[in-house]
Amino acid sequence: MMEEIIISDDKSKLDVELIHKFLTTSYWAKGRTIDEVKKSIDNSICFGIYKNDNQIGFARIITDYVVFAYLMDVFILEEHRGNSYSKLLLTRIFDDERFKGIKKWMLATKDAHSLYNQFGFERVQRPERLMEKVVPGK
């Protein structure tokens, strides 16, 4: 049987329960509530990747479409890893016309540096210039 892989930015196709289930156990979004996941989807550009109509992965982007974009919550379900689906998903995102003029992309990762290097990402050259604000208990 031939696999059908579709990547879509149609939010109505997203399996929010599946996204929440994955994110809430990830190292970067542990404990994120379903309401927080829904709100983050509502306020981002989102892409789902589907195999035979079943969602197998996700990514979302926050951007002003000119100066800056932040790629986050990227995942492929564990049972579908090793098939280049993450590369297909990222290629679709970076080929999207809406994002062509963006001057700076950022992301954070603990363990996928080699994947993102293939798309032009590199370690921050001047980390001393970056700052963050983490609100406790949120």
Side-chain angles (χ1 to χ4, degrees):
M1 183 174 143
M2 191 74 171
E3 293 179 353
E4 182 181 28
I5 302 298
I6 295 171
I7 300 170
S8 173
D9 63 352
D10 180 351
K11 290 181 186 179
S12 70
K13 293 177 163 290
L14 294 172
D15 183 340
V16 177
E17 295 289 334
L18 176 128
I19 295 166
H20 174 253
K21 183 178 176 184
F22 183 91
L23 290 178
T24 196
T25 60
S26 69
Y27 70 84
W28 70 87
K30 189 173 289 300
R32 196 177 292 173
T33 69
I34 188 76
D35 288 335
E36 290 170 330
V37 170
K38 288 176 183 177
K39 189 173 183 178
S40 70
I41 288 170
D42 288 345
N43 292 291
S44 304
I45 300 124
C46 300
F47 290 84
I49 181 167
Y50 307 87
K51 180 178 174 182
N52 301 326
D53 292 325
N54 295 307
Q55 187 170 352
I56 63 167
F58 177 76
R60 68 185 184 95
I61 298 97
I62 300 170
T63 186
D64 62 10
Y65 297 99
V66 178
V67 178
F68 184 77
Y70 196 91
L71 176 65
M72 57 196 319
D73 292 341
V74 179
F75 70 84
I76 301 295
L77 296 176
E78 192 167 343
E79 61 268 25
H80 296 284
R81 292 181 189 163
N83 296 299
S84 298
Y85 297 139
S86 59
K87 291 178 191 174
L88 289 173
L89 178 58
L90 293 170
T91 297
R92 167 65 177 85
I93 289 168
F94 295 122
D95 285 348
D96 193 298
E97 285 299 318
R98 295 172 290 181
F99 307 140
K100 290 294 185 185
I102 296 172
K103 295 170 178 51
K104 179 174 236 160
W105 284 82
M106 291 196 75
L107 61 80
T109 186
K110 181 172 88 172
D111 55 6
H113 296 82
S114 62
L115 169 65
Y116 295 113
N117 287 152
Q118 297 172 54
F119 292 89
F121 284 86
E122 54 191 43
R123 293 191 185 274
V124 174
Q125 293 185 11
R126 293 198 167 98
E128 69 277 5
R129 292 184 179 184
L130 294 176
M131 296 181 70
E132 68 179 356
K133 177 181 176 182
V134 178
V135 180
K138 297 225 176 190

